[in-house]
Amino acid sequence: MPSIFYLSIIIIVGLIGSGLSVASMLKNSTSPYGLEINQWRADPKSGGLEANPYQRDLTAISGSLPLNANEAVTFHRATDDTGERLNFRCTYKISDEISNTRFWTLNLVDNQGRVIKPSEGYNIALYSQHLIFDTKGKFLLTLSPQPHSGNWLPIKGEGQFRLTLRMYDTPIVSNSEIFETNLPNIARIHCPES
Amino acid sequence: MLNYKKILYCLFCGLVLAALLHVIIILVLPNFSQNNAWYRISKNIKPYTFTLLSNKRFPDGRPLISGQDPLFISAVCWFDLNDGPLKIEAKGYAPYWSLSIYDNISTNHYSLNDRNTNPQHLNALIINDVQEAKLEENQTKDTNQISIKVTFKKGLAVFRALRPDATWDKQITEFIKSGSCRALSN
C-alpha cells in the first residue's frame, strides 16, 4: 500500500474526530461546570476571567456579554418542584426567599433563551423591590395567565417556558467558596387541560 | 495486501491528531468566531460612542446582543487603547448601575457598580501598563477617578442601569445617554 493511503487515514480520522468532539462539547447549552441549587442552574464563572476555554467558546458563539460573578449570578430553571416542564397553561406559586442578594430580577424566556414579552402594559420582568414580603422576609408570587391578588407575574403564550433569575451584588460566588443561598420553590397549583 | 497492523497504527495516530486539533480549535475559536459580541458591535456601531443596545437589532429583528436583563437599559462603547487611555464619564441617578469592561472575546475583565464609587457620577479611566507609567510621570491626578488597568487593547465598555418600571424610562435613558467614552491623547 502506498504511504499516501496511510497518511489519508490519519488525516481523515483526525479531522472527523476533532470536528465531532468539538461539536459535541459545545452543543450542550447547559454547561457541566455550573452550580445547581433547588433545580435552579447557574454557570457563574462563565463570564469572567476564570472561565475555562469551553465556557469562553460558548460565550463567543452565543454573542452575549455575560455579567461577571462579582456583579450578578444568573440562574435558569425550566421545571416545577415535581420536575415537570413549566407550561403557559398552568398556575404556579413561587415561594419562600432569595437570600444574600442586594436585589433580584425574574423574567420568562423561551426554549431558545429569548425574552418573552408580556401583554401590553405589564412589566417585562419582576423587580424584587416591587414585591410584598411577609414579616419574615418571605414572599409568595403567583405565576398565572389569570390575574391574582398579591404578587402576580402574568404569563401569556403557548407551550413551555423557562425562568431566568438574576441576583445582583451577591456574595454567593466568591473566588473559591460557594456561600449558602436559598432559592425559591415552584409549586404547580393547577393546570387546565388544553 | 492490506497491512492491518499498520492501519491500526494509523487509526491511533489519527485519534492523537484529533485530540490535538480539538485543543487547538477550542482555544482559538473565540478569536475567529464571527458571531461574538465584539465582532457584532464593532461592525454595527461607531467607536467611542455609548450606543443603546436596545435600539440595535439585526435586520431580522433579533437583538444584536442576546441574554441581557430586560429590566436594564444598557449602552455599549467599543475602543482600542492604541488610540490612548479611555475616559468614561456619566452623571445621573439610577437605583443600580454598573460598568463592565470586556476584551474582544467577550471576557468580562472588570466590573464596578454604584456602590464602589460616587453613585451619581461615573468617572473611570481604562489604561494599560505603558499608559499608566506615563500618566504617573505627568501627575495631574483626578482623585474621583477610578483607574482600571487592563491587559488588552481592543475591548468593549458596557454601561448598564436598572429601570424598575416604565415610569423610570426617561430618567434612566437620560443617565445612560449622558455617558461619554473618549480616547485621551497618548
Side-chain angles (χ1 to χ4, degrees):
Chain A
M1 278 286 140
S3 58
I4 191 121
F5 170 75
Y6 294 110
L7 194 65
S8 58
I9 292 182
I10 298 178
I11 291 173
I12 289 169
V13 171
L15 290 179
I16 294 178
S18 59
L20 289 178
S21 62
V22 167
S24 79
M25 283 304 286
L26 299 182
K27 195 183 66 189
N28 297 328
S29 52
T30 50
S31 162
Y33 313 102
L35 153 74
E36 184 177 331
I37 303 170
N38 193 16
Q39 294 191 51
W40 294 89
R41 291 205 178 95
D43 192 10
K45 301 217 163 140
S46 67
L49 288 168
E50 293 170 57
N52 67 39
Y54 294 105
Q55 292 170 318
R56 282 169 206 251
D57 289 355
L58 287 170
T59 301
I61 291 169
S62 67
S64 61
L65 286 171
L67 299 170
N68 83 30
N70 301 328
E71 176 170 4
V73 179
T74 305
F75 285 93
H76 301 280
R77 187 164 159 168
T79 50
D80 64 24
D81 291 341
T82 63
E84 291 274 324
R85 288 294 312 268
L86 298 170
N87 196 296
F88 279 110
R89 284 185 287 115
C90 311
T91 294
Y92 300 96
K93 288 237 185 277
I94 302 186
S95 64
D96 274 355
E97 59 178 339
I98 297 174
S99 54
N100 268 326
T101 183
R102 181 168 154 196
F103 68 91
W104 49 265
T105 67
L106 182 73
N107 66 278
L108 272 63
V109 295
D110 64 17
N111 284 330
Q112 279 75 47
R114 289 177 299 219
V115 173
I116 295 170
K117 298 223 163 75
S119 320
E120 192 66 33
Y122 289 107
N123 219 358
I124 194 156
L126 198 83
Y127 173 42
S128 58
Q129 312 285 317
H130 285 170
L131 283 184
I132 306 158
F133 292 87
D134 71 13
T135 49
K136 288 182 186 133
K138 300 196 170 182
F139 66 87
L140 186 66
L141 164 70
T142 311
L143 225 66
S144 174
Q146 290 91 34
H148 278 260
S149 59
N151 300 313
W152 170 52
L153 184 64
I155 56 176
K156 191 187 151 205
E158 270 181 37
Q160 298 170 336
F161 66 91
R162 294 189 286 159
L163 290 168
T164 301
L165 169 74
R166 290 180 178 86
M167 294 168 71
Y168 285 86
D169 241 356
T170 172
I172 65 161
V173 181
S174 73
N175 289 335
S176 52
E177 285 173 276
I178 290 179
F179 280 77
E180 282 284 302
T181 183
N182 295 321
L183 292 180
N185 300 315
I186 303 179
R188 190 173 65 238
I189 302 304
H190 68 94
C191 214
E193 283 307 311
S194 78
Chain B
M1 187 61 199
L2 282 171
N3 182 340
Y4 289 107
K5 243 185 182 166
K6 222 170 177 181
I7 289 179
L8 263 177
Y9 179 70
C10 287
L11 286 174
F12 173 75
C13 289
L15 288 177
V16 173
L17 179 68
L20 197 72
L21 287 176
H22 177 97
V23 172
I24 294 172
I25 294 171
I26 291 294
L27 290 178
V28 303
L29 192 128
N31 299 292
F32 289 96
S33 166
Q34 299 217 333
N35 208 28
N36 77 28
W38 162 264
Y39 189 86
R40 291 179 183 195
I41 285 165
S42 60
K43 285 280 167 293
N44 290 288
I45 290 178
K46 276 191 295 184
Y48 302 108
T49 325
F50 270 119
T51 307
L52 286 184
L53 275 175
S54 49
N55 295 343
K56 287 287 167 186
R57 290 181 175 273
F58 286 111
D60 63 5
R62 279 180 306 137
L64 197 61
I65 299 299
S66 59
Q68 299 288 300
D69 189 329
L71 223 50
F72 277 65
I73 295 181
S74 321
V76 66
C77 158
W78 67 273
F79 58 86
D80 182 345
L81 290 183
N82 286 319
D83 300 335
L86 185 77
K87 176 84 173 172
I88 294 177
E89 275 195 283
K91 279 185 177 159
Y93 175 78
Y96 172 90
W97 59 258
S98 73
L99 176 74
S100 295
I101 308 297
Y102 297 86
D103 63 15
N104 64 354
I105 58 165
S106 311
T107 304
N108 191 327
H109 281 248
Y110 190 90
S111 77
L112 69 94
N113 68 40
D114 54 339
R115 285 204 177 157
N116 308 135
T117 177
N118 179 344
Q120 305 201 24
H121 186 189
L122 163 62
N123 180 4
L125 188 73
I126 321 294
I127 42 173
N128 63 24
D129 277 353
V130 182
Q131 290 163 340
E132 189 187 39
K134 250 192 200 168
L135 215 69
E136 274 166 9
E137 272 171 31
N138 24 358
Q139 199 55 265
T140 43
K141 214 155 189 155
D142 178 353
T143 49
N144 295 318
Q145 173 182 279
I146 294 188
S147 290
I148 302 170
K149 203 163 87 178
V150 296
T151 48
F152 54 88
K153 297 261 171 68
K154 290 180 177 182
L156 305 167
V158 181
F159 178 30
R160 300 179 165 98
L162 176 69
R163 184 211 71 128
D165 58 55
T167 61
W168 287 82
D169 264 354
K170 190 162 169 272
Q171 183 176 348
I172 302 299
T173 308
E174 271 171 15
F175 182 30
I176 294 285
K177 282 189 170 164
S178 80
S180 70
C181 161
R182 63 198 161 86
L184 303 179
S185 54
N186 256 319

